[in-house]
Amino acid sequence: MSKHPRARSRSPRTSRTVRSPRRVAVVAALGLLAFGAGWAYTAQDDNSGATAQARTGDRPGEAAGTGANKPTNPTSPAGVPRATRGVRGAPGAQTASGAPGAPGAPAAPDGPAQGLADVSDETLARIPATARQLLLVAGKARDSSESTATLYTRPAAGADWVRATESWPAHNGASGWNSAEREDGDLTTPVGVFTLSDAGGLLEKPPGTKFPYDRNRLFVPTGRGVNGESLTGAFEYVIAIDYNRRTGVSPLDLFKPEGEDKGGGIWLHVDHNGPSQGCIGISKQAMKKLLTTLDPAAKPVIVMGPAGF
């Protein structure tokens, strides 16, 4: 016999008396369950708020959902990834004046010329202490396109510079030197201290070259020189001067972080026996010497301007 008929055989009064405590127990249990669920939800909600605050507050002053390292590298017309704007001032880049722009980078100590001729104390102060190789290009005059290039080295930061090569005749911009606001096409060479970091050319790199080197058939100049001379062979060897460019890419890269108006594409290249539009031209043998001597580990720089700058 099942339990159900036996339960129905009880009187209504007895049935109500038995069920009432059970109902109270059920209601109480349901109440406790509701209270517990509410407490758990409240605790979970408080914990979620703390997590959200940690995610948005780990970079003070930065809006939620933003990041300092988002990749933004569009491709340049030459097919080389472009840098983001505002790269100037990043470690290894130059300021508009040509001085190294790495925050907190130590400058060479003041004092006598430290072995360098035709360089002012102001220019000496712009040379980073970490540099152990230096190409000095001293112009004949501010409005002259004739200059002299000499390579110097030093054994350690702060030591005096020692000449490492003979001096080479060189050409700079047809309109001389510009230490102010240079404009694209003004035929001047920018004055300042700039890093050297990338090379390339039409020819294969000389054995022993330590710079990143882009051998490329696009290293062929068009037209003729300022004085009508042939430019054939001028880009057989090239070292990019880090003026209004980003480092770590081919000298052929077209991107100019400080804008098109300042011009760019300022290179060391093979001299074509005439003034340039802004580059520095030295002999082919001198270019090979630089390529096989300059070492990125020595943080090489070029210091260039009219004599006494």
Side-chain angles (χ1 to χ4, degrees):
M1 182 179 292
S2 72
K3 295 180 181 180
H4 298 294
R6 289 183 62 183
R8 285 195 296 268
S9 65
R10 294 172 183 173
S11 65
R13 180 179 180 86
T14 303
S15 178
R16 284 196 300 269
T17 302
V18 173
R19 285 198 296 266
S20 294
R22 291 181 179 176
R23 289 179 179 176
V24 171
V26 171
V27 171
L30 290 175
L32 287 173
L33 288 173
F35 174 79
W39 179 86
Y41 177 82
T42 303
Q44 182 181 10
D45 186 64
D46 290 343
N47 188 54
S48 299
T51 303
Q53 184 176 3
R55 288 173 180 168
T56 59
D58 57 354
R59 292 185 177 94
E62 196 169 286
T66 63
N69 298 313
K70 289 185 177 180
T72 52
N73 289 326
T75 304
S76 71
V80 183
R82 288 182 171 179
T84 57
R85 292 194 178 274
V87 70
R88 288 292 166 178
Q94 282 64 53
T95 61
S97 64
D110 293 333
Q114 300 173 29
L116 297 178
D118 298 322
V119 176
S120 68
D121 289 343
E122 181 181 356
T123 299
L124 283 173
R126 295 177 183 171
I127 301 172
T130 53
R132 290 184 288 109
Q133 290 181 325
L134 181 152
L135 181 66
L136 175 62
V137 180
K140 185 176 180 179
R142 183 166 291 276
D143 59 354
S144 172
S145 63
E146 298 180 4
S147 51
T148 301
T150 311
L151 181 64
Y152 290 81
T153 64
R154 61 181 176 183
D160 286 346
W161 293 98
V162 178
R163 191 167 71 173
T165 64
E166 71 276 14
S167 294
W168 302 303
H171 281 104
N172 52 272
S175 296
W177 299 90
N178 193 331
S179 57
E181 287 297 322
R182 185 178 183 276
E183 296 181 1
D184 186 28
D186 66 7
L187 301 182
T188 65
T189 299
V191 174
V193 179
F194 305 92
T195 55
L196 300 171
S197 52
D198 301 291
L202 186 65
L203 301 181
E204 185 177 353
K205 67 180 179 181
T209 299
K210 297 181 178 65
F211 278 141
Y213 189 94
D214 177 27
R215 184 186 183 186
N216 199 307
R217 62 182 179 81
L218 296 179
F219 282 105
V220 177
T222 58
R224 304 188 72 83
V226 175
N227 291 339
E229 73 276 14
S230 171
L231 301 178
T232 301
F235 298 162
E236 289 180 338
Y237 297 122
V238 163
I239 299 174
I241 297 172
D242 295 334
Y243 168 84
N244 198 16
R245 72 177 297 269
R246 67 179 184 124
T247 61
V249 296
S250 168
L252 292 171
D253 181 47
L254 300 178
F255 182 63
K256 300 176 180 62
E258 296 179 31
E260 296 289 333
D261 291 344
K262 292 190 67 173
I266 306 298
W267 296 346
L268 281 158
H269 61 66
V270 177
D271 188 32
H272 47 77
N273 298 316
S276 71
Q277 296 187 30
C279 297
I280 302 294
I282 57 177
S283 71
K284 184 174 180 177
Q285 289 304 312
M287 282 297 300
K288 291 179 70 174
K289 178 68 174 179
L290 287 180
L291 285 169
T292 55
T293 303
L294 294 176
D295 185 353
K299 309 295 183 184
V301 296
I302 183 170
V303 179
M304 58 186 195
F309 73 103

